[in-house]
């Protein structure tokens, strides 16, 4: 994956903003970064776009800036000269795509049909904006289209908000979700930057969807593990499910057949995308034990343990099920 696309994947959320005055640019970018979102797409829907991109790129080095609603080669040049690192178009504009490819500029063209996607593929592009996503059927439509184009990844935008955001992130073809709901023009005009920080944090919380998935109980051997599992099963009518290294009593208790990680056992935290969660937690200084990685059938990271215990528990991330 291209480095800039990887950064977009890591952030997971692309706030789309229309800035009416350059004075709004930096406080908006700063608010997003404070809320944990290191990406912004400044749209060329307003006259202040170019100057705003320039102002953000000079003064906020932590944010990845893209330009959106790019409709002409002139705007491509203005955006790139001002410091934009990626460009987004609402539809397939062949002239713009050709120009960007020739210049080595990351372009994410808007697609709304299989034909659009095929045009993007012909240009060698494998990440497209899906727009306007919710009006077109949202994640179900993306999944249906995706069946025919397994190599294509999507940046859906249009009608996405905190209520429907979580529907997107369980699908591994989603690079990120974009939209105006985090920093809309009303919030920006009224200088509600605290609200933008709050909405950014909320978006990350919904995107990751961290939850305790199960607790792991250590036992010394399989007989003890059986006894513990049967105890839970008899008392609470939990179903007993045998796995290779453990038994499950219901969905939330895992009884290990042998001594396992963690002085007191382990805690599994589920999340929509384990790789993105690893990047996020690594930024907070958390180290991971690469020897504990496991992958699903599609080659996506599905579990990994943190190096350090929390309390006396080993902690691992696990991919949330659909
Ligand atoms: C875009 O340009 O990506 C969309 O206009 C964003 O759509 P939204 O305003 O519905 O979030």
């Amino acid at each position: 994956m291209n480095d800039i696309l990887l950064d977009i994947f890591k952030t997971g959320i692309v706030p789309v903003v229309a800035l009416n005055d350059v004075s709004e640019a930096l406080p908006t970018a700063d608010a997003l970064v404070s809320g944990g979102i290191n990406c912004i797409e400044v749209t060329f829907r307003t006259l202040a776009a170019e100057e705003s991109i320039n102002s953000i790129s000079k003064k906020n080095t932590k944010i990845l800036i893209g330009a959106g609603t790019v409709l002409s080669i002139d705007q491509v040049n203005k955006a790139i000269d001002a410091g934009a690192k990626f460009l987004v178009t609402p539809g397939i504009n062949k002239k713009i795509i050709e120009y960007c490819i020739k210049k080595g500029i990351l372009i994410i063209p808007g697609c709304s049909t299989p034909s659009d996607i095929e045009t993007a593929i012909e240009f060698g592009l494998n990440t497209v904006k899906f727009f306007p996503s919710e009006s077109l059927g949202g994640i179900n439509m993306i999944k249906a289209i995706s069946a025919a184009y397994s190599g294509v990844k999507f940046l859906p935008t249009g009608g996405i908000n905190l209520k429907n955001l979580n529907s997107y992130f369980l699908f591994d073809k989603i690079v990120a979700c974009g939209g105006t709901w985090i920093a809309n023009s009303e919030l920006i005009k009224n200088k509600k930057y605290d609200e933008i920080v709050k909405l950014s944090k909320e978006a990350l919380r919904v995107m990751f969807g961290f939850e305790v998935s199960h607790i792991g109980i250590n036992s010394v051997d399989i007989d003890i593990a059986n006894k513990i599992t049967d105890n839970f099963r008899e008392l609470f009518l939990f179903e007993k499910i045998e796995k290779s290294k453990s038994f499950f009593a219901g969905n939330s208790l895992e009884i290990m057949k042998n001594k396992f990680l963690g002085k007191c056992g382990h805690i599994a935290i589920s999340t929509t995308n384990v790789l993105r969660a690893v990047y996020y937690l690594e930024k907070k200084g958390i180290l991971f034990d690469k020897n504990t990685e496991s992958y699903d059938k599609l080659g996506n990271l599905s579990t990994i343990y943190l190096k350090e215990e929390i309390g006396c528990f080993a902690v691992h991330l696990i991919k949330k099920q659909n």
Side-chain angles (χ1 to χ4, degrees), residues 171-195:
F171 189 48
D172 64 356
K173 299 288 162 57
I174 301 298
V175 170
C177 283
T180 55
W181 87 94
I182 296 174
N184 67 36
S185 300
E186 230 10 57
L187 291 176
I188 296 171
K189 192 176 98 194
N190 294 313
K191 303 194 192 323
K192 301 250 172 158
Y193 299 115
D194 288 350
E195 186 65 16

PDB file of all heavy atoms in Angstrom, residues 171-195:
ATOM      1  N   PHE A 171     -15.867  -4.451   7.589  1.00  0.00           N
ATOM      2  CA  PHE A 171     -15.536  -4.953   6.249  1.00  0.00           C
ATOM      3  C   PHE A 171     -14.093  -4.561   5.918  1.00  0.00           C
ATOM      4  O   PHE A 171     -13.730  -3.385   5.979  1.00  0.00           O
ATOM      5  CB  PHE A 171     -16.519  -4.365   5.233  1.00  0.00           C
ATOM      6  CG  PHE A 171     -16.409  -4.987   3.874  1.00  0.00           C
ATOM      7  CD1 PHE A 171     -16.380  -6.362   3.721  1.00  0.00           C
ATOM      8  CD2 PHE A 171     -16.344  -4.201   2.740  1.00  0.00           C
ATOM      9  CE1 PHE A 171     -16.277  -6.947   2.469  1.00  0.00           C
ATOM     10  CE2 PHE A 171     -16.239  -4.772   1.478  1.00  0.00           C
ATOM     11  CZ  PHE A 171     -16.211  -6.146   1.342  1.00  0.00           C
ATOM     12  N   ASP A 172     -13.292  -5.572   5.568  1.00  0.00           N
ATOM     13  CA  ASP A 172     -11.856  -5.299   5.446  1.00  0.00           C
ATOM     14  C   ASP A 172     -11.476  -4.560   4.155  1.00  0.00           C
ATOM     15  O   ASP A 172     -10.307  -4.254   3.948  1.00  0.00           O
ATOM     16  CB  ASP A 172     -11.040  -6.582   5.603  1.00  0.00           C
ATOM     17  CG  ASP A 172     -11.321  -7.583   4.509  1.00  0.00           C
ATOM     18  OD1 ASP A 172     -12.197  -7.305   3.672  1.00  0.00           O
ATOM     19  OD2 ASP A 172     -10.666  -8.640   4.488  1.00  0.00           O
ATOM     20  N   LYS A 173     -12.450  -4.235   3.309  1.00  0.00           N
ATOM     21  CA  LYS A 173     -12.128  -3.478   2.098  1.00  0.00           C
ATOM     22  C   LYS A 173     -12.308  -1.972   2.323  1.00  0.00           C
ATOM     23  O   LYS A 173     -12.203  -1.187   1.379  1.00  0.00           O
ATOM     24  CB  LYS A 173     -13.012  -3.937   0.925  1.00  0.00           C
ATOM     25  CG  LYS A 173     -12.837  -5.393   0.555  1.00  0.00           C
ATOM     26  CD  LYS A 173     -11.498  -5.617  -0.123  1.00  0.00           C
ATOM     27  CE  LYS A 173     -11.028  -7.052  -0.151  1.00  0.00           C
ATOM     28  NZ  LYS A 173     -11.905  -8.003  -0.760  1.00  0.00           N
ATOM     29  N   ILE A 174     -12.607  -1.588   3.540  1.00  0.00           N
ATOM     30  CA  ILE A 174     -12.793  -0.155   3.834  1.00  0.00           C
ATOM     31  C   ILE A 174     -11.447   0.427   4.286  1.00  0.00           C
ATOM     32  O   ILE A 174     -10.922   0.059   5.335  1.00  0.00           O
ATOM     33  CB  ILE A 174     -13.861   0.055   4.935  1.00  0.00           C
ATOM     34  CG1 ILE A 174     -15.207  -0.538   4.501  1.00  0.00           C
ATOM     35  CG2 ILE A 174     -13.997   1.532   5.303  1.00  0.00           C
ATOM     36  CD1 ILE A 174     -15.837   0.079   3.272  1.00  0.00           C
ATOM     37  N   VAL A 175     -10.920   1.358   3.501  1.00  0.00           N
ATOM     38  CA  VAL A 175      -9.657   2.001   3.876  1.00  0.00           C
ATOM     39  C   VAL A 175      -9.925   3.010   4.992  1.00  0.00           C
ATOM     40  O   VAL A 175      -9.179   3.111   5.968  1.00  0.00           O
ATOM     41  CB  VAL A 175      -9.041   2.728   2.652  1.00  0.00           C
ATOM     42  CG1 VAL A 175      -7.862   3.590   3.075  1.00  0.00           C
ATOM     43  CG2 VAL A 175      -8.580   1.715   1.630  1.00  0.00           C
ATOM     44  N   ALA A 176     -11.010   3.760   4.838  1.00  0.00           N
ATOM     45  CA  ALA A 176     -11.392   4.775   5.820  1.00  0.00           C
ATOM     46  C   ALA A 176     -12.794   5.238   5.442  1.00  0.00           C
ATOM     47  O   ALA A 176     -13.267   4.944   4.339  1.00  0.00           O
ATOM     48  CB  ALA A 176     -10.418   5.952   5.776  1.00  0.00           C
ATOM     49  N   CYS A 177     -13.440   5.955   6.362  1.00  0.00           N
ATOM     50  CA  CYS A 177     -14.742   6.564   6.042  1.00  0.00           C
ATOM     51  C   CYS A 177     -14.578   8.071   6.094  1.00  0.00           C
ATOM     52  O   CYS A 177     -13.885   8.599   6.982  1.00  0.00           O
ATOM     53  CB  CYS A 177     -15.794   6.162   7.065  1.00  0.00           C
ATOM     54  SG  CYS A 177     -16.408   4.491   6.814  1.00  0.00           S
ATOM     55  N   GLY A 178     -15.210   8.762   5.164  1.00  0.00           N
ATOM     56  CA  GLY A 178     -15.101  10.216   5.139  1.00  0.00           C
ATOM     57  C   GLY A 178     -16.448  10.880   5.323  1.00  0.00           C
ATOM     58  O   GLY A 178     -17.496  10.237   5.183  1.00  0.00           O
ATOM     59  N   GLY A 179     -16.407  12.169   5.639  1.00  0.00           N
ATOM     60  CA  GLY A 179     -17.675  12.895   5.739  1.00  0.00           C
ATOM     61  C   GLY A 179     -17.544  14.199   6.486  1.00  0.00           C
ATOM     62  O   GLY A 179     -16.496  14.495   7.081  1.00  0.00           O
ATOM     63  N   THR A 180     -18.618  14.951   6.447  1.00  0.00           N
ATOM     64  CA  THR A 180     -18.607  16.298   7.036  1.00  0.00           C
ATOM     65  C   THR A 180     -19.143  16.320   8.468  1.00  0.00           C
ATOM     66  O   THR A 180     -19.167  17.371   9.092  1.00  0.00           O
ATOM     67  CB  THR A 180     -19.469  17.256   6.188  1.00  0.00           C
ATOM     68  OG1 THR A 180     -20.773  16.690   6.054  1.00  0.00           O
ATOM     69  CG2 THR A 180     -18.878  17.488   4.803  1.00  0.00           C
ATOM     70  N   TRP A 181     -19.592  15.153   8.976  1.00  0.00           N
ATOM     71  CA  TRP A 181     -20.292  15.194  10.259  1.00  0.00           C
ATOM     72  C   TRP A 181     -19.389  15.588  11.430  1.00  0.00           C
ATOM     73  O   TRP A 181     -19.883  16.043  12.468  1.00  0.00           O
ATOM     74  CB  TRP A 181     -20.987  13.842  10.521  1.00  0.00           C
ATOM     75  CG  TRP A 181     -20.127  12.813  11.184  1.00  0.00           C
ATOM     76  CD1 TRP A 181     -20.045  12.557  12.528  1.00  0.00           C
ATOM     77  CD2 TRP A 181     -19.207  11.901  10.553  1.00  0.00           C
ATOM     78  NE1 TRP A 181     -19.132  11.546  12.752  1.00  0.00           N
ATOM     79  CE2 TRP A 181     -18.613  11.120  11.573  1.00  0.00           C
ATOM     80  CE3 TRP A 181     -18.827  11.661   9.223  1.00  0.00           C
ATOM     81  CZ2 TRP A 181     -17.657  10.137  11.303  1.00  0.00           C
ATOM     82  CZ3 TRP A 181     -17.885  10.682   8.952  1.00  0.00           C
ATOM     83  CH2 TRP A 181     -17.314   9.931   9.977  1.00  0.00           C
ATOM     84  N   ILE A 182     -18.079  15.460  11.287  1.00  0.00           N
ATOM     85  CA  ILE A 182     -17.184  15.773  12.419  1.00  0.00           C
ATOM     86  C   ILE A 182     -16.908  17.270  12.505  1.00  0.00           C
ATOM     87  O   ILE A 182     -16.808  17.849  13.584  1.00  0.00           O
ATOM     88  CB  ILE A 182     -15.851  15.011  12.273  1.00  0.00           C
ATOM     89  CG1 ILE A 182     -16.138  13.518  12.364  1.00  0.00           C
ATOM     90  CG2 ILE A 182     -14.845  15.419  13.338  1.00  0.00           C
ATOM     91  CD1 ILE A 182     -14.945  12.660  12.106  1.00  0.00           C
ATOM     92  N   ALA A 183     -16.755  17.896  11.347  1.00  0.00           N
ATOM     93  CA  ALA A 183     -16.435  19.335  11.332  1.00  0.00           C
ATOM     94  C   ALA A 183     -17.277  19.974  10.220  1.00  0.00           C
ATOM     95  O   ALA A 183     -16.754  20.335   9.171  1.00  0.00           O
ATOM     96  CB  ALA A 183     -14.943  19.519  11.085  1.00  0.00           C
ATOM     97  N   ASN A 184     -18.581  20.076  10.490  1.00  0.00           N
ATOM     98  CA  ASN A 184     -19.428  20.665   9.448  1.00  0.00           C
ATOM     99  C   ASN A 184     -19.311  22.187   9.457  1.00  0.00           C
ATOM    100  O   ASN A 184     -18.783  22.793  10.397  1.00  0.00           O
ATOM    101  CB  ASN A 184     -20.878  20.168   9.560  1.00  0.00           C
ATOM    102  CG  ASN A 184     -21.568  20.670  10.813  1.00  0.00           C
ATOM    103  OD1 ASN A 184     -21.347  21.788  11.263  1.00  0.00           O
ATOM    104  ND2 ASN A 184     -22.408  19.835  11.387  1.00  0.00           N
ATOM    105  N   SER A 185     -19.806  22.804   8.396  1.00  0.00           N
ATOM    106  CA  SER A 185     -19.612  24.253   8.220  1.00  0.00           C
ATOM    107  C   SER A 185     -20.216  25.055   9.359  1.00  0.00           C
ATOM    108  O   SER A 185     -19.671  26.090   9.758  1.00  0.00           O
ATOM    109  CB  SER A 185     -20.242  24.696   6.899  1.00  0.00           C
ATOM    110  OG  SER A 185     -19.613  23.992   5.863  1.00  0.00           O
ATOM    111  N   GLU A 186     -21.325  24.591   9.911  1.00  0.00           N
ATOM    112  CA  GLU A 186     -21.987  25.302  11.013  1.00  0.00           C
ATOM    113  C   GLU A 186     -21.067  25.350  12.241  1.00  0.00           C
ATOM    114  O   GLU A 186     -20.864  26.403  12.840  1.00  0.00           O
ATOM    115  CB  GLU A 186     -23.227  24.498  11.360  1.00  0.00           C
ATOM    116  CG  GLU A 186     -24.590  25.138  11.474  1.00  0.00           C
ATOM    117  CD  GLU A 186     -24.783  26.557  11.034  1.00  0.00           C
ATOM    118  OE1 GLU A 186     -24.514  26.927   9.874  1.00  0.00           O
ATOM    119  OE2 GLU A 186     -25.224  27.311  11.904  1.00  0.00           O
ATOM    120  N   LEU A 187     -20.489  24.178  12.581  1.00  0.00           N
ATOM    121  CA  LEU A 187     -19.584  24.109  13.745  1.00  0.00           C
ATOM    122  C   LEU A 187     -18.379  25.023  13.521  1.00  0.00           C
ATOM    123  O   LEU A 187     -17.941  25.741  14.415  1.00  0.00           O
ATOM    124  CB  LEU A 187     -19.094  22.677  13.973  1.00  0.00           C
ATOM    125  CG  LEU A 187     -20.115  21.651  14.459  1.00  0.00           C
ATOM    126  CD1 LEU A 187     -19.487  20.262  14.537  1.00  0.00           C
ATOM    127  CD2 LEU A 187     -20.654  22.049  15.829  1.00  0.00           C
ATOM    128  N   ILE A 188     -17.854  24.983  12.289  1.00  0.00           N
ATOM    129  CA  ILE A 188     -16.652  25.779  11.990  1.00  0.00           C
ATOM    130  C   ILE A 188     -16.999  27.274  12.049  1.00  0.00           C
ATOM    131  O   ILE A 188     -16.284  28.059  12.677  1.00  0.00           O
ATOM    132  CB  ILE A 188     -16.063  25.376  10.620  1.00  0.00           C
ATOM    133  CG1 ILE A 188     -15.578  23.915  10.666  1.00  0.00           C
ATOM    134  CG2 ILE A 188     -14.919  26.303  10.215  1.00  0.00           C
ATOM    135  CD1 ILE A 188     -15.168  23.332   9.331  1.00  0.00           C
ATOM    136  N   LYS A 189     -18.109  27.641  11.405  1.00  0.00           N
ATOM    137  CA  LYS A 189     -18.503  29.066  11.370  1.00  0.00           C
ATOM    138  C   LYS A 189     -18.688  29.610  12.797  1.00  0.00           C
ATOM    139  O   LYS A 189     -18.290  30.725  13.111  1.00  0.00           O
ATOM    140  CB  LYS A 189     -19.815  29.201  10.590  1.00  0.00           C
ATOM    141  CG  LYS A 189     -20.167  30.636  10.235  1.00  0.00           C
ATOM    142  CD  LYS A 189     -21.404  30.716   9.382  1.00  0.00           C
ATOM    143  CE  LYS A 189     -22.587  31.025  10.283  1.00  0.00           C
ATOM    144  NZ  LYS A 189     -23.874  30.810   9.648  1.00  0.00           N
ATOM    145  N   ASN A 190     -19.273  28.770  13.659  1.00  0.00           N
ATOM    146  CA  ASN A 190     -19.524  29.224  15.038  1.00  0.00           C
ATOM    147  C   ASN A 190     -18.357  28.936  15.982  1.00  0.00           C
ATOM    148  O   ASN A 190     -18.508  29.018  17.204  1.00  0.00           O
ATOM    149  CB  ASN A 190     -20.812  28.580  15.563  1.00  0.00           C
ATOM    150  CG  ASN A 190     -22.010  29.076  14.789  1.00  0.00           C
ATOM    151  OD1 ASN A 190     -22.175  30.282  14.549  1.00  0.00           O
ATOM    152  ND2 ASN A 190     -22.846  28.157  14.335  1.00  0.00           N
ATOM    153  N   LYS A 191     -17.215  28.581  15.384  1.00  0.00           N
ATOM    154  CA  LYS A 191     -15.991  28.319  16.168  1.00  0.00           C
ATOM    155  C   LYS A 191     -16.211  27.298  17.302  1.00  0.00           C
ATOM    156  O   LYS A 191     -15.668  27.436  18.394  1.00  0.00           O
ATOM    157  CB  LYS A 191     -15.426  29.625  16.750  1.00  0.00           C
ATOM    158  CG  LYS A 191     -15.116  30.686  15.698  1.00  0.00           C
ATOM    159  CD  LYS A 191     -14.270  31.779  16.304  1.00  0.00           C
ATOM    160  CE  LYS A 191     -14.125  33.016  15.450  1.00  0.00           C
ATOM    161  NZ  LYS A 191     -14.014  32.862  14.008  1.00  0.00           N
ATOM    162  N   LYS A 192     -17.007  26.276  17.018  1.00  0.00           N
ATOM    163  CA  LYS A 192     -17.263  25.243  18.048  1.00  0.00           C
ATOM    164  C   LYS A 192     -16.173  24.184  17.960  1.00  0.00           C
ATOM    165  O   LYS A 192     -16.439  23.011  17.641  1.00  0.00           O
ATOM    166  CB  LYS A 192     -18.640  24.605  17.819  1.00  0.00           C
ATOM    167  CG  LYS A 192     -19.796  25.572  17.854  1.00  0.00           C
ATOM    168  CD  LYS A 192     -20.602  25.325  19.106  1.00  0.00           C
ATOM    169  CE  LYS A 192     -21.620  26.396  19.240  1.00  0.00           C
ATOM    170  NZ  LYS A 192     -22.716  26.427  19.883  1.00  0.00           N
ATOM    171  N   TYR A 193     -14.948  24.605  18.232  1.00  0.00           N
ATOM    172  CA  TYR A 193     -13.825  23.688  18.069  1.00  0.00           C
ATOM    173  C   TYR A 193     -13.832  22.575  19.123  1.00  0.00           C
ATOM    174  O   TYR A 193     -13.418  21.455  18.838  1.00  0.00           O
ATOM    175  CB  TYR A 193     -12.499  24.466  18.067  1.00  0.00           C
ATOM    176  CG  TYR A 193     -12.460  25.452  16.912  1.00  0.00           C
ATOM    177  CD1 TYR A 193     -12.417  26.832  17.133  1.00  0.00           C
ATOM    178  CD2 TYR A 193     -12.529  24.997  15.597  1.00  0.00           C
ATOM    179  CE1 TYR A 193     -12.420  27.725  16.069  1.00  0.00           C
ATOM    180  CE2 TYR A 193     -12.546  25.881  14.531  1.00  0.00           C
ATOM    181  CZ  TYR A 193     -12.487  27.248  14.773  1.00  0.00           C
ATOM    182  OH  TYR A 193     -12.503  28.113  13.724  1.00  0.00           O
ATOM    183  N   ASP A 194     -14.337  22.906  20.333  1.00  0.00           N
ATOM    184  CA  ASP A 194     -14.427  21.857  21.364  1.00  0.00           C
ATOM    185  C   ASP A 194     -15.352  20.732  20.905  1.00  0.00           C
ATOM    186  O   ASP A 194     -15.124  19.557  21.192  1.00  0.00           O
ATOM    187  CB  ASP A 194     -14.978  22.432  22.682  1.00  0.00           C
ATOM    188  CG  ASP A 194     -13.942  23.310  23.349  1.00  0.00           C
ATOM    189  OD1 ASP A 194     -12.785  23.301  22.882  1.00  0.00           O
ATOM    190  OD2 ASP A 194     -14.299  24.009  24.313  1.00  0.00           O
ATOM    191  N   GLU A 195     -16.403  21.137  20.207  1.00  0.00           N
ATOM    192  CA  GLU A 195     -17.360  20.148  19.708  1.00  0.00           C
ATOM    193  C   GLU A 195     -16.684  19.257  18.643  1.00  0.00           C
ATOM    194  O   GLU A 195     -16.933  18.052  18.577  1.00  0.00           O
ATOM    195  CB  GLU A 195     -18.559  20.908  19.107  1.00  0.00           C
ATOM    196  CG  GLU A 195     -19.723  20.060  18.665  1.00  0.00           C
ATOM    197  CD  GLU A 195     -20.448  19.318  19.796  1.00  0.00           C
ATOM    198  OE1 GLU A 195     -20.250  19.680  20.977  1.00  0.00           O
ATOM    199  OE2 GLU A 195     -21.171  18.353  19.477  1.00  0.00           O
TER     200      GLU A 195
END
